[in-house]
Amino acid sequence: MIWKRKDLIGLEELTGDEIETILDMAVSFKEVSTRRVKKVPPLRGKTVVNLFFEPSTRTKTSFELAAKRLSADVLSFDVSTSSISKGETITDTANNIEAMKVDCFIVRHSISGAPQIIGQSVSSSVINAGDGCHEHPTQALLDLFTVREKMGKIEGINIAIIGDVLHSRVARSNIWGFTKMGANVCVCGPPTIVPREIEKMGAEITYSIDEALQDADIVYLLRLQRERQKENYLTSLKEYSIYYGIDEERYKRIIKKGAFIMHPGPMNRGLEIKSDIADRDGSLILEQVTNGIAVRMAVLYLTIGVKK
Ligand code: CP
């Protein structure tokens, strides 16, 4: 397939074939990170700018390493010491950086739609690294990659996404991605943080954790986003943990043998996931992080490494 897109904003607009192209390319890039010299030349001479307006450990580091392993130059723009604090707009900021001849912006922002606005303003590529409650496409792509690698397929598998769906860009991207690839997606959590509109995306909803878990091949736990709980969606965190958290008892009683646990990070240990579940065999949490580099290498290569 010839890759035609300038930007990657979300999985909503990608076709199943496009998703598969990224995953297939990531397979070949995964091997690069196992070499003694972890570097290949395709992005030599390209400049990638990390433009993160929100904190990040995994995504920012992963994009930086992915770009460097493809031999690109990487600029990690420090928003806190930039002229944004003097009132400069995000598009003026991006246009000024672009005037220094860069090729790609990786954008994370607390406002849904910010990467798209930047993408419309610059001719460089823009990759969404998570915008508000909208999408986090490369997180979902690395999740799809991890599931396909572990289970040999995505089509027909049952994935249960548990938790704060209302505030989760990861949930939205994963619902688009897994449904497009033929998986059965069930979302579960308290009714106040699992909006019914999610059904329109092709996912089933249940408010019963037992029902969500019993057939799941993948149990995907979402971070409870305490910083985005502006209203009283939950009676208490303790109650959430009791009714929807995964602990040893729930794991043994309901989750079927051979099912995998996933989480995008950062985890609230003891809240949505107990430590003995996060760290046990069958948890793919660190494999997800490892696979993030290969997937982001594939996205960067397709976006700025091949002639359009
Ligand atoms: N999964 C994820 O987006 O983690 P970070 O916030 O650390 O990037």
Side-chain angles (χ1 to χ4, degrees):
M1 162 185 283
I2 298 166
W3 196 264
K4 295 205 175 104
R5 293 179 186 275
K6 174 177 94 69
D7 302 332
L8 174 60
I9 301 299
L11 293 200
E12 181 176 4
E13 54 264 22
L14 292 197
T15 63
D17 282 350
E18 286 175 312
I19 293 172
E20 202 153 320
T21 298
I22 296 170
L23 302 186
D24 290 346
M25 183 151 289
V27 173
S28 52
F29 280 132
K30 187 165 176 179
E31 181 269 332
V32 174
S33 294
T34 65
R35 295 184 192 174
R36 194 174 59 81
V37 178
K38 303 177 187 68
K39 224 176 187 43
V40 285
L43 297 191
R44 209 151 54 108
K46 301 280 185 189
T47 304
V48 173
V49 181
N50 263 340
L51 200 52
F52 278 60
F53 296 88
E54 252 194 5
S56 166
T57 296
R58 282 145 289 267
T59 313
K60 190 174 177 197
T61 315
S62 181
F63 266 115
E64 181 163 346
L65 288 174
K68 285 180 172 168
R69 285 179 192 175
L70 291 169
S71 302
D73 294 314
V74 181
L75 171 71
S76 266
F77 181 79
D78 186 354
V79 170
S80 66
T81 57
S82 75
S83 292
I84 297 250
S85 61
K86 298 178 203 161
E88 188 161 57
T89 65
I90 55 171
T91 48
D92 276 340
T93 302
N95 284 324
N96 277 272
I97 298 173
E98 187 175 52
M100 298 180 220
K101 309 294 175 204
V102 304
D103 300 283
C104 182
F105 291 95
I106 315 295
V107 179
R108 170 169 288 191
H109 204 288
S110 58
I111 306 290
S112 299
Q116 196 168 4
I117 289 167
I118 293 174
Q120 286 160 358
S121 176
V122 296
S123 54
S124 309
S125 288
V126 172
I127 299 171
N128 181 4
D131 62 327
C133 305
H134 172 227
E135 283 226 36
H136 191 347
T138 57
Q139 176 66 48
L141 288 165
L142 72 89
D143 294 332
L144 287 159
F145 180 93
T146 304
V147 168
R148 194 177 78 162
E149 187 178 66
K150 275 288 158 192
M151 304 199 64
K153 61 173 186 171
I154 299 169
E155 191 169 0
I157 65 135
N158 299 321
I159 174 166
I161 300 178
I162 317 288
D164 188 0
V165 178
L166 178 66
H167 297 101
S168 179
R169 54 200 179 204
V170 172
R172 277 177 189 73
S173 287
N174 266 317
I175 294 168
W176 287 125
F178 276 96
T179 53
K180 281 176 195 224
M181 299 305 282
N184 307 306
V185 181
C186 173
V187 301
C188 176
T192 48
I193 53 173
V194 178
R196 284 239 79 105
E197 302 87 79
I198 289 293
E199 278 175 330
K200 294 186 194 140
M201 297 169 69
E204 272 181 48
I205 292 179
T206 175
Y207 303 117
S208 154
I209 185 83
D210 287 16
E211 201 177 296
L213 295 181
Q214 63 195 0
D215 294 322
D217 303 300
I218 302 290
V219 177
Y220 195 103
L221 303 172
L222 298 171
R223 179 172 75 89
L224 194 63
Q225 301 193 29
R226 286 182 278 194
E227 76 278 19
R228 295 194 218 272
Q229 309 285 341
K230 292 191 183 74
E231 292 165 39
N232 291 328
Y233 291 111
L234 302 170
T235 44
S236 76
L237 295 179
K238 188 157 184 229
E239 216 163 65
Y240 178 85
S241 174
I242 292 168
Y243 288 113
Y244 291 98
I246 303 296
D247 58 11
E248 190 70 20
E249 186 278 325
R250 191 161 269 147
Y251 185 91
K252 283 197 174 136
R253 183 168 57 83
I254 321 171
I255 295 177
K256 66 183 186 189
K257 257 200 159 55
F260 293 107
I261 301 285
M262 297 176 74
H263 192 300
M267 289 182 274
N268 295 302
R269 286 178 182 262
L271 184 46
E272 69 265 2
I273 187 167
K274 285 273 161 46
S275 276
D276 47 2
I277 305 300
D279 303 329
R280 71 185 306 142
D281 287 348
S283 161
L284 302 181
I285 294 167
L286 291 179
E287 284 185 54
Q288 289 170 257
V289 177
T290 301
N291 291 334
I293 300 219
V295 165
R296 289 178 176 121
M297 286 170 83
V299 168
L300 284 168
Y301 177 72
L302 289 166
T303 309
I304 57 168
V306 289
K307 276 216 166 78
K308 303 271 181 315

